[in-house]
mmCIF file of all heavy atoms in Angstrom:
data_model
loop_
_atom_site.group_PDB
_atom_site.id
_atom_site.type_symbol
_atom_site.label_atom_id
_atom_site.label_comp_id
_atom_site.label_asym_id
_atom_site.label_seq_id
_atom_site.Cartn_x
_atom_site.Cartn_y
_atom_site.Cartn_z
ATOM 1 N N MET A 20 -12.628 -98.522 -70.626
ATOM 2 C CA MET A 20 -13.649 -99.526 -70.638
ATOM 3 C C MET A 20 -14.973 -98.790 -71.129
ATOM 4 O O MET A 20 -15.908 -99.521 -71.853
ATOM 5 C CB MET A 20 -13.956 -100.071 -69.245
ATOM 6 C CG MET A 20 -12.921 -100.994 -68.887
ATOM 7 S SD MET A 20 -12.693 -102.300 -69.972
ATOM 8 C CE MET A 20 -13.510 -103.697 -69.302
ATOM 9 N N ASP A 21 -15.214 -97.496 -71.020
ATOM 10 C CA ASP A 21 -16.350 -96.903 -71.519
ATOM 11 C C ASP A 21 -16.402 -96.828 -73.078
ATOM 12 O O ASP A 21 -17.404 -96.757 -73.609
ATOM 13 C CB ASP A 21 -16.463 -95.445 -70.919
ATOM 14 C CG ASP A 21 -16.778 -95.372 -69.362
ATOM 15 O OD1 ASP A 21 -17.332 -96.405 -68.978
ATOM 16 O OD2 ASP A 21 -16.416 -94.427 -68.795
ATOM 17 N N SER A 22 -15.202 -96.837 -73.650
ATOM 18 C CA SER A 22 -15.120 -96.892 -75.022
ATOM 19 C C SER A 22 -15.629 -98.205 -75.609
ATOM 20 O O SER A 22 -16.086 -98.099 -76.875
ATOM 21 C CB SER A 22 -13.695 -96.565 -75.493
ATOM 22 O OG SER A 22 -12.901 -97.543 -75.205
ATOM 23 N N LEU A 23 -15.621 -99.218 -74.976
ATOM 24 C CA LEU A 23 -16.064 -100.496 -75.466
ATOM 25 C C LEU A 23 -17.601 -100.470 -75.678
ATOM 26 O O LEU A 23 -18.089 -101.236 -76.521
ATOM 27 C CB LEU A 23 -15.757 -101.692 -74.511
ATOM 28 C CG LEU A 23 -14.191 -102.039 -74.542
ATOM 29 C CD1 LEU A 23 -13.904 -103.156 -73.536
ATOM 30 C CD2 LEU A 23 -13.772 -102.445 -75.849
ATOM 31 N N ILE A 24 -18.219 -99.742 -74.765
ATOM 32 C CA ILE A 24 -19.766 -99.616 -74.948
ATOM 33 C C ILE A 24 -20.046 -98.998 -76.314
ATOM 34 O O ILE A 24 -21.172 -99.310 -76.877
ATOM 35 C CB ILE A 24 -20.297 -98.760 -73.756
ATOM 36 C CG1 ILE A 24 -20.131 -99.458 -72.479
ATOM 37 C CG2 ILE A 24 -21.822 -98.361 -73.994
ATOM 38 C CD1 ILE A 24 -20.496 -98.671 -71.246
ATOM 39 N N PHE A 25 -19.233 -98.089 -76.873
ATOM 40 C CA PHE A 25 -19.404 -97.581 -78.160
ATOM 41 C C PHE A 25 -18.838 -98.354 -79.259
ATOM 42 O O PHE A 25 -19.366 -98.457 -80.360
ATOM 43 C CB PHE A 25 -18.814 -96.205 -78.152
ATOM 44 C CG PHE A 25 -18.914 -95.461 -79.489
ATOM 45 C CD1 PHE A 25 -20.085 -95.005 -79.899
ATOM 46 C CD2 PHE A 25 -17.707 -95.233 -80.225
ATOM 47 C CE1 PHE A 25 -20.150 -94.360 -81.174
ATOM 48 C CE2 PHE A 25 -17.758 -94.701 -81.475
ATOM 49 C CZ PHE A 25 -18.982 -94.097 -81.957
ATOM 50 N N LEU A 26 -17.660 -98.960 -79.050
ATOM 51 C CA LEU A 26 -16.941 -99.644 -80.152
ATOM 52 C C LEU A 26 -17.530 -101.017 -80.577
ATOM 53 O O LEU A 26 -17.552 -101.410 -81.729
ATOM 54 C CB LEU A 26 -15.414 -99.760 -79.766
ATOM 55 C CG LEU A 26 -14.700 -98.459 -79.734
ATOM 56 C CD1 LEU A 26 -13.333 -98.647 -79.415
ATOM 57 C CD2 LEU A 26 -14.807 -97.765 -81.155
ATOM 58 N N VAL A 27 -17.917 -101.801 -79.525
ATOM 59 C CA VAL A 27 -18.535 -103.155 -79.797
ATOM 60 C C VAL A 27 -19.739 -103.035 -80.714
ATOM 61 O O VAL A 27 -19.891 -103.769 -81.670
ATOM 62 C CB VAL A 27 -18.806 -103.933 -78.486
ATOM 63 C CG1 VAL A 27 -19.512 -105.219 -78.773
ATOM 64 C CG2 VAL A 27 -17.344 -104.314 -77.818
ATOM 65 N N PRO A 28 -20.799 -102.295 -80.374
ATOM 66 C CA PRO A 28 -21.879 -102.177 -81.299
ATOM 67 C C PRO A 28 -21.538 -101.597 -82.632
ATOM 68 O O PRO A 28 -22.135 -101.950 -83.591
ATOM 69 C CB PRO A 28 -22.863 -101.245 -80.556
ATOM 70 C CG PRO A 28 -22.596 -101.222 -79.167
ATOM 71 C CD PRO A 28 -21.062 -101.420 -79.164
ATOM 72 N N LEU A 29 -20.539 -100.684 -82.639
ATOM 73 C CA LEU A 29 -20.172 -100.069 -83.854
ATOM 74 C C LEU A 29 -19.493 -101.158 -84.793
ATOM 75 O O LEU A 29 -19.733 -101.249 -86.008
ATOM 76 C CB LEU A 29 -19.188 -98.998 -83.719
ATOM 77 C CG LEU A 29 -18.715 -98.117 -84.850
ATOM 78 C CD1 LEU A 29 -19.920 -97.453 -85.477
ATOM 79 C CD2 LEU A 29 -17.657 -97.081 -84.512
ATOM 80 N N ALA A 30 -18.641 -102.021 -84.151
ATOM 81 C CA ALA A 30 -18.039 -103.032 -84.966
ATOM 82 C C ALA A 30 -19.046 -104.126 -85.438
ATOM 83 O O ALA A 30 -18.946 -104.596 -86.535
ATOM 84 C CB ALA A 30 -17.010 -103.758 -84.017
ATOM 85 N N LEU A 31 -20.083 -104.410 -84.676
ATOM 86 C CA LEU A 31 -21.090 -105.268 -84.974
ATOM 87 C C LEU A 31 -21.907 -104.691 -86.179
ATOM 88 O O LEU A 31 -22.395 -105.401 -87.083
ATOM 89 C CB LEU A 31 -22.101 -105.597 -83.909
ATOM 90 C CG LEU A 31 -21.522 -106.553 -82.828
ATOM 91 C CD1 LEU A 31 -22.376 -106.643 -81.663
ATOM 92 C CD2 LEU A 31 -21.014 -107.886 -83.287
ATOM 93 N N LEU A 32 -22.148 -103.440 -86.140
ATOM 94 C CA LEU A 32 -22.941 -102.699 -87.229
ATOM 95 C C LEU A 32 -22.191 -102.803 -88.465
ATOM 96 O O LEU A 32 -22.683 -103.126 -89.546
ATOM 97 C CB LEU A 32 -23.180 -101.354 -86.806
ATOM 98 C CG LEU A 32 -23.833 -100.394 -87.926
ATOM 99 C CD1 LEU A 32 -25.378 -100.928 -88.108
ATOM 100 C CD2 LEU A 32 -23.892 -98.907 -87.497
ATOM 101 N N PHE A 33 -20.799 -102.488 -88.409
ATOM 102 C CA PHE A 33 -20.000 -102.487 -89.698
ATOM 103 C C PHE A 33 -19.889 -103.927 -90.237
ATOM 104 O O PHE A 33 -19.910 -104.151 -91.435
ATOM 105 C CB PHE A 33 -18.608 -102.027 -89.416
ATOM 106 C CG PHE A 33 -18.551 -100.512 -89.292
ATOM 107 C CD1 PHE A 33 -17.435 -99.969 -88.577
ATOM 108 C CD2 PHE A 33 -19.367 -99.746 -90.007
ATOM 109 C CE1 PHE A 33 -17.416 -98.464 -88.478
ATOM 110 C CE2 PHE A 33 -19.327 -98.342 -89.884
ATOM 111 C CZ PHE A 33 -18.360 -97.694 -89.234
ATOM 112 N N GLY A 34 -19.795 -104.976 -89.304
ATOM 113 C CA GLY A 34 -19.793 -106.332 -89.841
ATOM 114 C C GLY A 34 -21.070 -106.746 -90.426
ATOM 115 O O GLY A 34 -21.084 -107.459 -91.441
ATOM 116 N N SER A 35 -22.192 -106.375 -89.864
ATOM 117 C CA SER A 35 -23.472 -106.740 -90.457
ATOM 118 C C SER A 35 -23.706 -106.040 -91.888
ATOM 119 O O SER A 35 -24.250 -106.626 -92.756
ATOM 120 C CB SER A 35 -24.573 -106.469 -89.472
ATOM 121 O OG SER A 35 -24.626 -105.131 -89.105
ATOM 122 N N VAL A 36 -23.245 -104.847 -91.836
ATOM 123 C CA VAL A 36 -23.340 -104.025 -93.148
ATOM 124 C C VAL A 36 -22.493 -104.687 -94.229
ATOM 125 O O VAL A 36 -22.939 -104.971 -95.436
ATOM 126 C CB VAL A 36 -22.944 -102.577 -93.068
ATOM 127 C CG1 VAL A 36 -22.845 -101.979 -94.358
ATOM 128 C CG2 VAL A 36 -24.151 -101.888 -92.181
ATOM 129 N N ALA A 37 -21.232 -105.122 -93.866
ATOM 130 C CA ALA A 37 -20.429 -105.879 -94.888
ATOM 131 C C ALA A 37 -20.992 -107.221 -95.247
ATOM 132 O O ALA A 37 -20.949 -107.576 -96.359
ATOM 133 C CB ALA A 37 -19.056 -106.086 -94.153
ATOM 134 N N LEU A 38 -21.575 -107.918 -94.288
ATOM 135 C CA LEU A 38 -22.276 -109.188 -94.654
ATOM 136 C C LEU A 38 -23.430 -108.914 -95.561
ATOM 137 O O LEU A 38 -23.586 -109.782 -96.588
ATOM 138 C CB LEU A 38 -22.641 -109.929 -93.348
ATOM 139 C CG LEU A 38 -23.407 -111.212 -93.592
ATOM 140 C CD1 LEU A 38 -22.408 -112.221 -94.132
ATOM 141 C CD2 LEU A 38 -23.909 -111.652 -92.306
ATOM 142 N N VAL A 39 -24.352 -107.994 -95.409
ATOM 143 C CA VAL A 39 -25.385 -107.706 -96.208
ATOM 144 C C VAL A 39 -24.923 -107.335 -97.614
ATOM 145 O O VAL A 39 -25.515 -107.825 -98.554
ATOM 146 C CB VAL A 39 -26.210 -106.531 -95.668
ATOM 147 C CG1 VAL A 39 -27.185 -105.970 -96.651
ATOM 148 C CG2 VAL A 39 -26.996 -107.097 -94.407
ATOM 149 N N VAL A 40 -23.885 -106.510 -97.770
ATOM 150 C CA VAL A 40 -23.379 -106.076 -99.076
ATOM 151 C C VAL A 40 -22.798 -107.219 -99.755
ATOM 152 O O VAL A 40 -22.922 -107.534 -100.968
ATOM 153 C CB VAL A 40 -22.297 -104.990 -98.910
ATOM 154 C CG1 VAL A 40 -21.504 -104.801 -100.189
ATOM 155 C CG2 VAL A 40 -23.049 -103.697 -98.460
ATOM 156 N N PHE A 41 -22.084 -108.183 -99.099
ATOM 157 C CA PHE A 41 -21.595 -109.411 -99.671
ATOM 158 C C PHE A 41 -22.653 -110.285 -100.187
ATOM 159 O O PHE A 41 -22.518 -110.867 -101.271
ATOM 160 C CB PHE A 41 -20.642 -110.202 -98.730
ATOM 161 C CG PHE A 41 -20.084 -111.469 -99.217
ATOM 162 C CD1 PHE A 41 -19.176 -111.527 -100.232
ATOM 163 C CD2 PHE A 41 -20.593 -112.613 -98.660
ATOM 164 C CE1 PHE A 41 -18.812 -112.687 -100.754
ATOM 165 C CE2 PHE A 41 -20.099 -113.839 -99.165
ATOM 166 C CZ PHE A 41 -19.211 -113.877 -100.215
ATOM 167 N N LEU A 42 -23.727 -110.486 -99.347
ATOM 168 C CA LEU A 42 -24.819 -111.387 -99.773
ATOM 169 C C LEU A 42 -25.509 -110.710 -100.956
ATOM 170 O O LEU A 42 -25.980 -111.481 -101.897
ATOM 171 C CB LEU A 42 -25.776 -111.575 -98.598
ATOM 172 C CG LEU A 42 -25.257 -112.460 -97.479
ATOM 173 C CD1 LEU A 42 -26.150 -112.514 -96.316
ATOM 174 C CD2 LEU A 42 -24.753 -113.760 -98.068
ATOM 175 N N TRP A 43 -25.652 -109.328 -101.018
ATOM 176 C CA TRP A 43 -26.242 -108.806 -102.206
ATOM 177 C C TRP A 43 -25.458 -108.974 -103.437
ATOM 178 O O TRP A 43 -25.969 -109.284 -104.537
ATOM 179 C CB TRP A 43 -26.368 -107.286 -101.863
ATOM 180 C CG TRP A 43 -26.809 -106.556 -103.169
ATOM 181 C CD1 TRP A 43 -28.066 -106.380 -103.554
ATOM 182 C CD2 TRP A 43 -25.898 -105.789 -103.958
ATOM 183 N NE1 TRP A 43 -28.059 -105.576 -104.877
ATOM 184 C CE2 TRP A 43 -26.634 -105.264 -105.044
ATOM 185 C CE3 TRP A 43 -24.598 -105.563 -103.958
ATOM 186 C CZ2 TRP A 43 -26.114 -104.504 -106.009
ATOM 187 C CZ3 TRP A 43 -24.065 -104.805 -104.966
ATOM 188 C CH2 TRP A 43 -24.824 -104.257 -106.005
ATOM 189 N N SER A 44 -24.184 -108.868 -103.295
ATOM 190 C CA SER A 44 -23.295 -109.147 -104.406
ATOM 191 C C SER A 44 -23.363 -110.656 -104.930
ATOM 192 O O SER A 44 -23.294 -110.851 -106.165
ATOM 193 C CB SER A 44 -21.910 -108.708 -104.158
ATOM 194 O OG SER A 44 -21.242 -109.613 -103.261
ATOM 195 N N LEU A 45 -23.543 -111.490 -104.177
ATOM 196 C CA LEU A 45 -23.768 -112.916 -104.544
ATOM 197 C C LEU A 45 -25.038 -113.084 -105.247
ATOM 198 O O LEU A 45 -25.189 -113.731 -106.224
ATOM 199 C CB LEU A 45 -23.760 -113.828 -103.229
ATOM 200 C CG LEU A 45 -22.330 -114.214 -102.748
ATOM 201 C CD1 LEU A 45 -22.502 -115.035 -101.403
ATOM 202 C CD2 LEU A 45 -21.448 -114.888 -103.613
ATOM 203 N N ARG A 46 -26.175 -112.503 -104.677
ATOM 204 C CA ARG A 46 -27.447 -112.627 -105.335
ATOM 205 C C ARG A 46 -27.525 -111.869 -106.643
ATOM 206 O O ARG A 46 -28.286 -112.277 -107.533
ATOM 207 C CB ARG A 46 -28.560 -112.128 -104.503
ATOM 208 C CG ARG A 46 -28.724 -112.972 -103.212
ATOM 209 C CD ARG A 46 -29.921 -112.382 -102.404
ATOM 210 N NE ARG A 46 -29.953 -113.211 -101.268
ATOM 211 C CZ ARG A 46 -30.882 -114.188 -101.031
ATOM 212 N NH1 ARG A 46 -31.622 -114.504 -101.947
ATOM 213 N NH2 ARG A 46 -30.877 -114.907 -99.892
ATOM 214 N N SER A 47 -26.830 -110.805 -106.839
ATOM 215 C CA SER A 47 -26.835 -110.067 -108.087
ATOM 216 C C SER A 47 -25.765 -110.659 -109.235
ATOM 217 O O SER A 47 -25.486 -109.910 -110.060
ATOM 218 C CB SER A 47 -26.558 -108.557 -107.957
ATOM 219 O OG SER A 47 -25.263 -108.401 -107.356
ATOM 220 N N ALA A 48 -25.353 -111.806 -108.883
ATOM 221 C CA ALA A 48 -24.457 -112.469 -109.849
ATOM 222 C C ALA A 48 -23.177 -111.715 -110.245
ATOM 223 O O ALA A 48 -22.629 -111.696 -111.367
ATOM 224 C CB ALA A 48 -25.142 -112.817 -111.195
ATOM 225 N N GLN A 49 -22.531 -111.196 -109.223
ATOM 226 C CA GLN A 49 -21.213 -110.534 -109.441
ATOM 227 C C GLN A 49 -20.138 -111.445 -109.627
ATOM 228 O O GLN A 49 -19.129 -111.158 -110.169
ATOM 229 C CB GLN A 49 -20.947 -109.504 -108.287
ATOM 230 C CG GLN A 49 -21.834 -108.379 -108.069
ATOM 231 C CD GLN A 49 -21.782 -107.447 -109.243
ATOM 232 O OE1 GLN A 49 -20.689 -107.057 -109.576
ATOM 233 N NE2 GLN A 49 -22.796 -106.992 -109.662
ATOM 234 N N TYR A 50 -20.253 -112.671 -109.132
ATOM 235 C CA TYR A 50 -19.265 -113.699 -109.090
ATOM 236 C C TYR A 50 -19.453 -114.811 -110.094
ATOM 237 O O TYR A 50 -18.784 -115.805 -109.964
ATOM 238 C CB TYR A 50 -18.899 -114.155 -107.778
ATOM 239 C CG TYR A 50 -18.587 -113.182 -106.761
ATOM 240 C CD1 TYR A 50 -19.510 -112.634 -105.740
ATOM 241 C CD2 TYR A 50 -17.402 -112.439 -106.808
ATOM 242 C CE1 TYR A 50 -19.175 -111.747 -104.766
ATOM 243 C CE2 TYR A 50 -17.145 -111.480 -105.965
ATOM 244 C CZ TYR A 50 -17.961 -111.087 -104.899
ATOM 245 O OH TYR A 50 -17.712 -110.111 -103.936
ATOM 246 N N ASP A 51 -20.309 -114.684 -111.052
ATOM 247 C CA ASP A 51 -20.689 -115.699 -111.967
ATOM 248 C C ASP A 51 -19.570 -116.039 -113.018
ATOM 249 O O ASP A 51 -19.201 -117.130 -113.339
ATOM 250 C CB ASP A 51 -22.016 -115.462 -112.688
ATOM 251 C CG ASP A 51 -23.112 -115.809 -111.773
ATOM 252 O OD1 ASP A 51 -22.954 -116.310 -110.698
ATOM 253 O OD2 ASP A 51 -24.255 -115.368 -112.200
ATOM 254 N N ASP A 52 -18.984 -114.979 -113.526
ATOM 255 C CA ASP A 52 -17.922 -115.148 -114.580
ATOM 256 C C ASP A 52 -16.639 -114.639 -114.178
ATOM 257 O O ASP A 52 -16.268 -113.488 -114.518
ATOM 258 C CB ASP A 52 -18.481 -114.496 -115.856
ATOM 259 C CG ASP A 52 -17.504 -114.778 -117.011
ATOM 260 O OD1 ASP A 52 -16.790 -115.734 -117.069
ATOM 261 O OD2 ASP A 52 -17.548 -114.004 -118.066
ATOM 262 N N LEU A 53 -15.886 -115.430 -113.345
ATOM 263 C CA LEU A 53 -14.532 -114.947 -112.885
ATOM 264 C C LEU A 53 -13.443 -114.958 -113.962
ATOM 265 O O LEU A 53 -12.501 -114.149 -113.941
ATOM 266 C CB LEU A 53 -14.192 -115.742 -111.655
ATOM 267 C CG LEU A 53 -15.098 -115.523 -110.485
ATOM 268 C CD1 LEU A 53 -14.623 -116.531 -109.313
ATOM 269 C CD2 LEU A 53 -15.072 -114.136 -109.852
ATOM 270 N N ASP A 54 -13.607 -115.938 -114.914
ATOM 271 C CA ASP A 54 -12.500 -116.042 -115.819
ATOM 272 C C ASP A 54 -12.784 -115.210 -117.169
ATOM 273 O O ASP A 54 -11.821 -115.120 -117.920
ATOM 274 C CB ASP A 54 -12.426 -117.600 -116.291
ATOM 275 C CG ASP A 54 -12.029 -118.416 -115.153
ATOM 276 O OD1 ASP A 54 -11.173 -117.918 -114.230
ATOM 277 O OD2 ASP A 54 -12.427 -119.540 -114.990
ATOM 278 N N GLY A 55 -13.962 -114.647 -117.279
ATOM 279 C CA GLY A 55 -14.290 -113.936 -118.460
ATOM 280 C C GLY A 55 -13.460 -112.760 -118.555
ATOM 281 O O GLY A 55 -12.914 -112.432 -119.741
ATOM 282 N N ALA A 56 -13.417 -111.840 -117.544
ATOM 283 C CA ALA A 56 -12.598 -110.678 -117.636
ATOM 284 C C ALA A 56 -11.148 -110.992 -117.825
ATOM 285 O O ALA A 56 -10.347 -110.147 -118.533
ATOM 286 C CB ALA A 56 -12.787 -109.820 -116.398
ATOM 287 N N ALA A 57 -10.553 -112.040 -117.257
ATOM 288 C CA ALA A 57 -9.265 -112.441 -117.437
ATOM 289 C C ALA A 57 -8.829 -112.803 -118.701
ATOM 290 O O ALA A 57 -7.764 -112.551 -119.242
ATOM 291 C CB ALA A 57 -8.759 -113.429 -116.354
ATOM 292 N N GLN A 58 -9.733 -113.323 -119.468
ATOM 293 C CA GLN A 58 -9.508 -113.800 -120.909
ATOM 294 C C GLN A 58 -9.818 -112.732 -121.809
ATOM 295 O O GLN A 58 -9.229 -112.649 -122.931
ATOM 296 C CB GLN A 58 -10.403 -115.063 -121.266
ATOM 297 C CG GLN A 58 -10.017 -116.298 -120.395
ATOM 298 C CD GLN A 58 -10.872 -117.454 -120.556
ATOM 299 O OE1 GLN A 58 -11.837 -117.448 -121.329
ATOM 300 N NE2 GLN A 58 -10.490 -118.625 -119.980
ATOM 301 N N ARG A 59 -10.783 -111.875 -121.584
ATOM 302 C CA ARG A 59 -11.084 -110.792 -122.476
ATOM 303 C C ARG A 59 -9.870 -109.707 -122.536
ATOM 304 O O ARG A 59 -9.772 -109.093 -123.664
ATOM 305 C CB ARG A 59 -12.263 -109.999 -122.024
ATOM 306 C CG ARG A 59 -13.624 -110.597 -122.470
ATOM 307 C CD ARG A 59 -14.778 -109.666 -122.257
ATOM 308 N NE ARG A 59 -14.930 -109.258 -120.894
ATOM 309 C CZ ARG A 59 -15.638 -109.845 -120.034
ATOM 310 N NH1 ARG A 59 -16.259 -110.955 -120.401
ATOM 311 N NH2 ARG A 59 -15.759 -109.474 -118.779
ATOM 312 N N ILE A 60 -9.095 -109.612 -121.583
ATOM 313 C CA ILE A 60 -8.081 -108.687 -121.551
ATOM 314 C C ILE A 60 -6.954 -109.178 -122.600
ATOM 315 O O ILE A 60 -6.204 -108.289 -123.086
ATOM 316 C CB ILE A 60 -7.450 -108.437 -120.209
ATOM 317 C CG1 ILE A 60 -6.490 -107.204 -120.143
ATOM 318 C CG2 ILE A 60 -6.669 -109.586 -119.714
ATOM 319 C CD1 ILE A 60 -7.266 -106.025 -119.987
ATOM 320 N N LEU A 61 -6.884 -110.445 -122.797
ATOM 321 C CA LEU A 61 -5.875 -110.971 -123.723
ATOM 322 C C LEU A 61 -6.319 -111.000 -125.248
ATOM 323 O O LEU A 61 -5.401 -111.268 -126.131
ATOM 324 C CB LEU A 61 -5.550 -112.487 -123.274
ATOM 325 C CG LEU A 61 -5.001 -112.475 -121.872
ATOM 326 C CD1 LEU A 61 -4.737 -113.984 -121.411
ATOM 327 C CD2 LEU A 61 -3.604 -111.775 -121.747
ATOM 328 N N LEU A 62 -7.543 -110.877 -125.318
ATOM 329 C CA LEU A 62 -8.040 -110.878 -126.769
ATOM 330 C C LEU A 62 -7.721 -109.716 -127.494
ATOM 331 O O LEU A 62 -7.805 -108.595 -126.980
ATOM 332 C CB LEU A 62 -9.562 -111.172 -126.793
ATOM 333 C CG LEU A 62 -10.114 -112.489 -126.244
ATOM 334 C CD1 LEU A 62 -11.620 -112.388 -126.152
ATOM 335 C CD2 LEU A 62 -9.616 -113.668 -127.053
ATOM 336 N N ASP A 63 -7.402 -109.818 -128.753
ATOM 337 C CA ASP A 63 -7.076 -108.635 -129.667
ATOM 338 C C ASP A 63 -8.256 -108.270 -130.368
ATOM 339 O O ASP A 63 -8.927 -108.948 -131.115
ATOM 340 C CB ASP A 63 -5.996 -109.159 -130.688
ATOM 341 C CG ASP A 63 -5.378 -107.905 -131.487
ATOM 342 O OD1 ASP A 63 -5.641 -106.701 -130.930
ATOM 343 O OD2 ASP A 63 -4.901 -108.064 -132.454
ATOM 344 N N ASP A 64 -8.709 -106.977 -130.139
ATOM 345 C CA ASP A 64 -9.860 -106.436 -130.849
ATOM 346 C C ASP A 64 -9.572 -106.052 -132.151
ATOM 347 O O ASP A 64 -8.636 -105.247 -132.344
ATOM 348 C CB ASP A 64 -10.577 -105.291 -130.037
ATOM 349 C CG ASP A 64 -11.165 -105.667 -128.630
ATOM 350 O OD1 ASP A 64 -11.475 -106.929 -128.576
ATOM 351 O OD2 ASP A 64 -11.229 -104.899 -127.753
ATOM 352 N N ASP A 65 -10.243 -106.476 -133.213
ATOM 353 C CA ASP A 65 -9.903 -106.090 -134.541
ATOM 354 C C ASP A 65 -10.558 -104.778 -134.847
ATOM 355 O O ASP A 65 -9.991 -104.014 -135.864
ATOM 356 C CB ASP A 65 -10.502 -107.145 -135.475
ATOM 357 C CG ASP A 65 -9.711 -108.478 -135.456
ATOM 358 O OD1 ASP A 65 -8.626 -108.425 -134.965
ATOM 359 O OD2 ASP A 65 -10.288 -109.558 -135.736
ATOM 360 N N ASP A 66 -11.603 -104.354 -134.293
ATOM 361 C CA ASP A 66 -12.287 -103.061 -134.633
ATOM 362 C C ASP A 66 -11.572 -102.007 -133.877
ATOM 363 O O ASP A 66 -11.492 -101.937 -132.680
ATOM 364 C CB ASP A 66 -13.752 -103.110 -134.322
ATOM 365 C CG ASP A 66 -14.127 -103.525 -132.921
ATOM 366 O OD1 ASP A 66 -13.249 -104.096 -132.251
ATOM 367 O OD2 ASP A 66 -15.216 -103.262 -132.525
ATOM 368 N N GLU A 67 -11.158 -100.925 -134.516
ATOM 369 C CA GLU A 67 -10.466 -99.842 -133.912
ATOM 370 C C GLU A 67 -11.440 -98.737 -134.062
ATOM 371 O O GLU A 67 -11.477 -98.060 -135.114
ATOM 372 C CB GLU A 67 -9.171 -99.609 -134.564
ATOM 373 C CG GLU A 67 -8.106 -100.683 -134.350
ATOM 374 C CD GLU A 67 -6.814 -100.365 -134.940
ATOM 375 O OE1 GLU A 67 -6.635 -99.331 -135.552
ATOM 376 O OE2 GLU A 67 -5.931 -101.348 -134.839
ATOM 377 N N GLY A 68 -12.218 -98.336 -133.090
ATOM 378 C CA GLY A 68 -13.163 -97.284 -133.177
ATOM 379 C C GLY A 68 -12.518 -95.933 -132.973
ATOM 380 O O GLY A 68 -11.233 -95.688 -132.893
ATOM 381 N N PRO A 69 -13.319 -94.886 -132.947
ATOM 382 C CA PRO A 69 -12.829 -93.516 -132.710
ATOM 383 C C PRO A 69 -12.164 -93.459 -131.287
ATOM 384 O O PRO A 69 -12.694 -94.106 -130.310
ATOM 385 C CB PRO A 69 -14.115 -92.717 -132.826
ATOM 386 C CG PRO A 69 -15.169 -93.499 -132.783
ATOM 387 C CD PRO A 69 -14.748 -94.993 -133.072
ATOM 388 N N GLY A 70 -11.186 -92.616 -131.186
ATOM 389 C CA GLY A 70 -10.543 -92.385 -129.976
ATOM 390 C C GLY A 70 -9.353 -93.325 -129.625
ATOM 391 O O GLY A 70 -8.788 -93.307 -128.658
ATOM 392 N N THR A 71 -9.071 -94.184 -130.565
ATOM 393 C CA THR A 71 -7.972 -95.160 -130.439
ATOM 394 C C THR A 71 -6.697 -94.474 -130.710
ATOM 395 O O THR A 71 -5.479 -94.964 -130.358
ATOM 396 C CB THR A 71 -8.101 -96.490 -131.263
ATOM 397 O OG1 THR A 71 -8.174 -96.028 -132.629
ATOM 398 C CG2 THR A 71 -9.287 -97.246 -130.710
ATOM 399 N N GLY A 72 -6.641 -93.426 -131.544
ATOM 400 C CA GLY A 72 -5.414 -92.651 -131.812
ATOM 401 C C GLY A 72 -4.577 -93.353 -132.993
ATOM 402 O O GLY A 72 -3.554 -92.883 -133.220
ATOM 403 N N ARG A 73 -5.225 -94.177 -133.777
ATOM 404 C CA ARG A 73 -4.459 -94.732 -134.863
ATOM 405 C C ARG A 73 -5.079 -94.355 -136.194
ATOM 406 O O ARG A 73 -5.965 -94.057 -136.566
ATOM 407 C CB ARG A 73 -4.521 -96.319 -134.879
ATOM 408 C CG ARG A 73 -3.750 -96.746 -133.597
ATOM 409 C CD ARG A 73 -3.717 -98.229 -133.570
ATOM 410 N NE ARG A 73 -3.183 -98.679 -132.381
ATOM 411 C CZ ARG A 73 -2.812 -99.904 -132.028
ATOM 412 N NH1 ARG A 73 -3.056 -100.832 -132.985
ATOM 413 N NH2 ARG A 73 -2.330 -100.232 -130.960
#
């Protein structure tokens, strides 16, 4: 039972930190373009720059 005195506040601290990080990511527009990266992977880039090995 003595461990609960330590673990409950620790769990609340971790939960509040996770909530703050999630809210920060919402405000910094991390989730604005969810389909863009999925479609960009399918596009064929015509420019072959240095380091492509061709």
